[in-house]
């Protein structure tokens, strides 16, 4: 099989100015709800792109855990690669790809840590094994084998029993959007792309060529 010959015609829907929201957050809310109600696999999965001090970009997939007018929230180890890169360059890009709906959402903006109270509340809502895992994994660091993780999990499980506190190196990030882009696949590669950019506190909606 020649991968260059793999093609798909996008014909499920359209995205017009008249049928879209003037507020990108409302448009995102609508599309996310449609992805969830459509029972897509992991509709809450998003790619996070950051840039390190060497100007090399890196991406990884995380799960969105909340959104409102303040921004998009996810949780992670602050000592991970993404955490370290965001500490040095607090800007990132997010991407949702809902393949079955032939849709992509891209979001760009400044990133900040959520409050300790928000991080505590979410951490204590997680299953016990996930809370222990936050202590057990020195995320992004080199380890000798999987046995390191298993040993750490056993150690912290015995130490904290049913009530592990939130690790000081673990918590939430919030991306505060200044750009959104909604992409809807269309026939003949004439896709719909609507970009929203923040200008003087107001969202400006523009159509981009595909």
């Amino acid at each position: 099989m020649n991968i260059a010959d793999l093609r798909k015609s996008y014909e499920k829907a359209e995205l017009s100015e008249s049928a879209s929201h003037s507020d990108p957050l409302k448009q995102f809310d609508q599309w996310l709800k449609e992805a969830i109600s459509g029972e897509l696999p992991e509709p809450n999965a998003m790619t996070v792109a950051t840039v390190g001090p060497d100007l090399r970009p890196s991406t990884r997939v995380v799960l969105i855990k909340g959104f409102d007018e303040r921004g998009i929230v996810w949780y992670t180890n602050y000592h991970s690669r993404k955490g370290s890169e965001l500490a040095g360059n607090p800007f990132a890009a997010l991407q949702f790809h809902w393949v079955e709906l032939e849709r992509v959402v891209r979001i760009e903006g400044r990133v900040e840590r959520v409050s300790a109270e928000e991080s505590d509340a979410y951490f204590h809502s997680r299953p016990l094994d996930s809370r222990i895992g936050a202590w057990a994994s020195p995320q992004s660091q080199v380890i000798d084998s999987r046995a390191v993780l298993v040993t750490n999990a056993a150690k912290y499980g015995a130490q904290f029993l049913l009530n592990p506190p939130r690790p000081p190196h673990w918590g939430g990030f919030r991306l505060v959007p200044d750009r959104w882009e909604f992409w809807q696949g269309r026939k003949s590669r004439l896709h719909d792309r609507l970009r929203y950019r923040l200008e003087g506190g107001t969202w400006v909606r523009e159509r981009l060529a595909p």
Side-chain angles (χ1 to χ4, degrees):
M1 179 181 295
N2 185 350
I3 61 172
D5 292 333
L6 293 175
R7 289 181 174 80
K8 176 182 177 181
S9 181
Y10 301 98
E11 302 180 20
K12 286 187 179 294
E14 63 181 41
L15 179 62
S16 66
E17 288 82 349
S18 60
S20 61
H21 295 280
S22 58
D23 182 343
L25 187 65
K26 292 181 179 179
Q27 184 65 37
F28 176 72
D29 180 61
Q30 176 186 324
W31 273 19
L32 179 58
K33 286 177 177 175
E34 290 175 1
I36 294 171
S37 64
E39 298 184 344
L40 272 60
E42 296 198 281
N44 54 335
M46 63 182 186
T47 299
V48 178
T50 57
V51 176
D54 56 0
L55 303 184
R56 291 176 66 101
S58 61
T59 65
R60 72 288 291 161
V61 177
V62 303
L63 302 179
I64 182 176
K65 292 301 179 181
F67 68 96
D68 55 25
E69 66 283 351
R70 296 173 298 168
I72 311 293
V73 174
W74 71 95
Y75 291 86
T76 189
N77 186 317
Y78 289 139
H79 294 167
S80 64
R81 180 177 177 180
K82 58 183 169 298
S84 298
E85 291 183 346
L86 287 170
N89 177 27
F91 292 89
L94 310 178
Q95 178 171 289
F96 293 83
H97 187 193
W98 296 309
V99 178
E100 294 81 358
L101 298 177
E102 300 174 353
R103 289 174 174 172
V104 173
V105 179
R106 299 171 56 208
I107 313 166
E108 300 175 24
R110 176 177 51 83
V111 177
E112 60 190 21
R113 291 189 182 188
V114 306
S115 68
E117 292 76 15
E118 288 177 89
S119 291
D120 285 340
Y122 175 68
F123 183 80
H124 292 295
S125 75
R126 305 178 85 207
L128 177 61
D129 58 351
S130 296
R131 284 178 279 154
I132 293 296
W135 283 96
S137 174
Q139 194 175 112
S140 300
Q141 296 182 28
V142 175
I143 57 176
D144 291 335
S145 69
R146 183 174 178 80
V148 173
L149 300 178
V150 175
T151 300
N152 285 349
K155 179 183 73 172
Y156 287 114
Q159 178 180 342
F160 297 126
L161 300 177
L162 299 179
N163 296 297
R166 177 174 65 89
H169 57 265
W170 190 98
F173 281 116
R174 176 180 287 109
L175 183 139
V176 182
D178 55 30
R179 289 192 181 187
W180 297 74
E181 183 183 321
F182 296 85
W183 182 97
Q184 177 70 61
R186 296 295 301 276
K187 190 175 181 180
S188 302
R189 297 298 187 265
L190 300 179
H191 311 303
D192 289 327
R193 293 176 63 189
L194 295 184
R195 179 179 67 185
Y196 297 73
R197 57 181 175 84
L198 201 56
E199 187 174 286
T202 301
W203 288 108
V204 176
R205 182 177 51 191
E206 303 165 312
R207 177 171 288 268
L208 301 181

